[in-house]
Each structure stands twice: as C-alpha cells, then as structure tokens.
Amino acid sequence: MARKLAQAMLQAWEDGCAAQAGERGLILLRLAEPTLSDAACRALSVGRRDAALLGLHERMFGPIARALVDCPACAEPLELDVPLAAIRVAPPEDVSEHFELTREGQTLAFRLPTAGDLADPVGASAGGLARLCLLEPNAPTDPATVEALEAAIGAAVNLHDPQAVVSLAFDCPDCAAHWRSPFDIVEFLWRGFDRLAGDLLAEIHVIASAYGWGEDQILALSPQRRRRYLGLIGA
Ligand SMILES: [Zn+2]
C-alpha cells in the first residue's frame, strides 16, 4: 500500500473507531471519493454512497465479500462469499429530488435519505430520518402521519435508490431454513479496515521496536521494503 493511502486509511480507521455506522459510512465515502467536497459527499443518496463504497471495497479488498451469519433457526454459523458485482444495482436515471405524500388533504414534500442524514445524530433517533428528509418547515407530529411518511420514504428508496436496500439470500445446509438479510457494505468495509489497520500497526510495532524508526518513516517504506525488514527481524 502506498504511503499516502496507508496514512489516509489509518486516519479513517482512527476517526471511525468510536463513530456510529452512519458516520463511518461518511468517513469511508470521503476515502472512496477524494475529489468530492464534504458537502457533496453528505448530499449523495444512500444508494449512491453504497455504490461508491462497493468500488472502494473492490479496490482495497477485491471483488468478493465474505458474509458470516448464524442461521436464525438452528444457530449454525454460515459463510457466504458474495461477489460484489452481483449486488450492484444500476442507478435509475433521472431520479427526482422531490417526492410527495398526500394524506387527508395535506401534501408533504420529501427527498431521499442521504449519506449525511445517516451520519446525523438526528437521523439515528426515532422518526429522525423522516424529519431530515421532509422538505416542509413544520414536521407532522401526529404519529399516524409520521408513520405514513416513513413508509412513503421507504417506498421511494426501494424504487428510486435501490442500491441502498440490497439483501442477501441464505440457505442453511443443516436445517434447510431460508431467509434474507440486509447487506450492509459499511459493516463489511469497516471489518476489512479494522483488520488492515491492525496488521499495519503490528508491522510498524515490530519494525519500530527493532530499529527505533518513527511511524511516518516506516509508512514511507514501500510494502516490499517493509516485508524485507520484517524478514530480517525474523517476524
Ligand atoms: Zn439452520
């Protein structure tokens, strides 16, 4: 891994360690789309964020994600290799930025959820995502209307931002149970980052302990040189 990428990766890992999932999604998105401004990253729909994160996963960890789940019926642990190409959904053309829910004579305008909404603490609270997506000055307080709005946003995502709602089909070989689970690219990518950061820090630790060099100096070494030094140290 080139020095700049290794440093950016370690920084993203450090920033994301204590973050909630939506913030991690935004941190990883900035790494996936380094030419986009922070505002442009926040404004991407969740499906477009996930498409960019699939690309980052492919570049850093290859085209297959390994899913590990326990069967909900018999608790048998299962592994499923997921080719990322198979869960890519072509983005719909001409996605509207404005949707409407009409209910009891009242029309409420809303937009699709974005990467910024998921990273916003309001978005993680009950009914918060619907409030963030509402394009009206006054949010409805009547629970039935809030529920209808959440359902309308969900339907709009299914239809107009399908990459945001990918799920995987599992078959248990032990008990023949069949079920679907949502596929969360942020979780997969984060697990890979966590592993990679751990490996990189362990390499730095071994080389620093042997030679007394600093972290920056060690990260500036090419992976080939780092491996050669680790070999000489006998690690
Ligand atoms: Zn089972």
Side-chain angles (χ1 to χ4, degrees):
M1 199 186 314
R3 174 194 189 176
K4 262 181 106 168
L5 180 59
Q7 278 170 333
M9 201 280 296
L10 275 180
Q11 189 59 55
W13 171 78
E14 194 176 336
D15 293 343
C17 271
Q20 51 96 336
E23 289 173 81
R24 280 182 183 169
L26 196 58
I27 290 166
L28 295 170
L29 179 60
R30 289 193 198 108
L31 209 60
E33 299 287 350
T35 58
L36 288 187
S37 69
D38 180 56
C41 283
R42 285 177 183 274
L44 279 192
S45 74
V46 178
R48 286 177 192 271
R49 177 200 74 173
D50 287 0
L53 296 187
L54 286 176
L56 183 63
H57 191 293
E58 282 164 351
R59 294 199 293 280
M60 294 192 69
F61 305 111
I64 308 278
R66 172 158 295 181
L68 303 167
V69 289
D70 292 337
C71 170
C74 73
E76 179 72 12
L78 301 181
E79 269 183 34
L80 180 68
D81 282 344
V82 185
L84 297 180
I87 52 170
R88 265 196 193 277
V89 185
E93 285 169 24
D94 295 334
V95 173
S96 169
E97 291 181 357
H98 184 114
F99 301 86
E100 283 181 353
L101 165 71
T102 303
R103 194 183 141 80
E104 292 168 2
Q106 189 190 10
T107 297
L108 295 172
F110 62 91
R111 57 164 177 76
L112 293 171
T114 63
D117 295 336
L118 297 191
D120 188 319
V122 174
S125 64
L129 195 60
R131 275 207 304 284
L132 291 175
C133 293
L134 193 67
L135 300 170
E136 308 281 348
N138 299 313
T141 48
D142 156 42
T145 305
V146 174
E147 205 174 300
L149 180 61
E150 286 175 336
I153 293 171
V157 170
N158 279 325
L159 208 58
H160 301 284
D161 199 24
Q163 189 71 67
V165 282
V166 174
S167 66
L168 301 177
F170 290 91
D171 289 296
C172 176
D174 265 38
C175 75
H178 176 82
W179 74 98
R180 296 193 76 90
S181 285
F183 175 82
D184 183 355
I185 182 63
V186 173
E187 192 189 321
F188 274 81
L189 203 48
W190 187 258
R191 223 183 296 145
F193 261 63
D194 206 38
R195 235 182 358 250
L196 200 59
D199 291 349
L200 205 52
L201 292 176
E203 286 184 13
I204 292 169
H205 166 72
V206 171
I207 297 174
S209 300
Y211 299 108
W213 301 338
E215 188 183 68
D216 272 354
Q217 286 170 295
I218 297 168
L219 281 177
L221 298 171
S222 66
Q224 292 82 355
R225 284 193 192 196
R226 273 208 301 273
R227 257 198 304 279
R228 189 52 74 93
Y229 280 118
L230 288 168
L232 290 169
I233 296 163

